[in-house]
Amino acid sequence: GEEPEDRYAEGDPLTLRGHGAPVSCLAFSPKDKDRFASCSTDATIRIWQLHTEEFAVSLTQIIDPIQCLSNFVAWSPDAATIVASSEDINVQLFSAVSGKPRSEGLKGHTATVRGAAWAPAGQTFVTCADDNSVRMWHFLINRNITEIAVLEGEQMVFNSDMRYWGEVLAMIRKDYQTYKKGLSDYKPKVYELREALDKGVERTTSYVRREQLLGLEVTDYFEP
């Protein structure tokens, strides 16, 4: 039989604002249909989570903006890494979990880098530039990138937990007026906070040990 006609309802376009200048590229994650990266002439790359309802849509930035002026952004097949350009002619790899650079800028092109595409295996990608060249790069994975991405994800959750603990502690300090009220109103919160902090020490110890094993720069969780 004949294919049914597409049905749609006309309506106003949904405009989502985030960048402070024109957006030059969008790329969806190969692992999450509601997550995408965008780059803009405001010199940032942003990673977004898309939330949709029947008649509404909203965006949440899942990490801080990556400071990088690039014409493009492309995801690795495992969604752990994104590639973009830096300083116009260099190629840069970033963690798609934390936003941190995976390496120093890769040099080779002599004019503006315009785009990149990953091979299905995820260890090779190609770039094209205004120097009339296409270059193939082999991403030497001397460490388990997937394991690094898992660790980065846990650290991002921990950073969010620390912000929450700080808010709870600030609330207790502000509202705690009498000893009696402290016992009745805040004892459960104080005990919850103490338990979370004790477990937090165990978590940071695990993170440091894994960073050392993976050859990463060790994070100081106790710096002021």
Side-chain angles (χ1 to χ4, degrees):
E2 296 182 358
E3 293 185 3
E5 295 183 2
D6 292 334
R7 294 184 178 182
Y8 64 93
E10 293 185 0
D12 296 330
L14 298 172
T15 302
L16 304 173
R17 301 187 183 277
H19 286 286
V23 177
S24 53
C25 182
L26 296 175
F28 274 88
S29 165
K31 296 291 187 180
D32 186 339
K33 64 181 180 62
D34 293 322
R35 181 167 297 186
F36 66 91
S38 61
C39 59
S40 165
T41 55
D42 66 4
T44 65
I45 296 173
R46 299 171 188 251
I47 299 180
W48 309 86
Q49 193 71 24
L50 185 64
H51 308 280
T52 57
E53 300 176 9
E54 187 175 1
F55 298 107
V57 62
S58 62
L59 286 176
T60 301
Q61 289 191 66
I62 61 172
I63 61 174
D64 291 336
I66 300 171
Q67 302 301 315
C68 179
L69 179 58
S70 177
N71 296 303
F72 66 92
V73 59
W75 295 78
S76 63
D78 62 2
T81 305
I82 57 174
V83 61
S85 63
S86 67
E87 299 181 7
D88 198 41
I89 62 174
N90 294 335
V91 177
Q92 183 70 63
L93 297 168
F94 294 98
S95 164
V97 180
S98 67
K100 296 179 180 179
R102 288 261 186 245
S103 65
E104 298 293 330
L106 305 176
K107 299 180 180 180
H109 287 292
T110 58
T112 301
V113 184
R114 293 296 180 182
W118 289 82
Q123 286 186 242
T124 303
F125 61 92
V126 295
T127 54
C128 58
D130 287 349
D131 58 9
N132 299 324
S133 74
V134 173
R135 291 180 178 267
M136 180 176 291
W137 309 83
H138 186 67
F139 187 14
L140 295 176
I141 303 178
N142 58 352
R143 298 294 181 185
N144 190 325
I145 295 300
T146 301
E147 187 175 349
I148 292 175
V150 170
L151 173 59
E152 291 172 335
E154 293 178 17
Q155 290 171 318
M156 296 293 286
V157 172
F158 182 75
N159 291 339
S160 177
D161 289 343
M162 286 199 298
R163 286 191 291 269
Y164 170 71
W165 299 336
E167 292 170 0
V168 171
L169 184 59
M171 178 192 68
I172 293 174
R173 286 175 171 172
K174 179 181 178 181
D175 297 341
Y176 184 3
Q177 300 296 326
T178 65
Y179 180 75
K180 183 178 180 180
K181 182 179 179 182
L183 287 177
S184 61
D185 294 357
Y186 294 122
K187 185 176 180 179
K189 279 290 184 184
V190 170
Y191 275 58
E192 176 188 341
L193 186 59
R194 175 59 186 270
E195 182 180 2
L197 291 173
D198 287 342
K199 291 182 178 179
V201 173
E202 297 176 5
R203 291 164 71 182
T204 57
T205 301
S206 170
Y207 300 155
V208 169
R209 177 179 56 80
R210 289 154 67 188
E211 285 175 331
Q212 291 172 336
L213 290 173
L214 291 165
L216 304 174
E217 182 179 349
V218 174
T219 304
D220 184 359
Y221 291 96
F222 302 100
E223 62 183 3

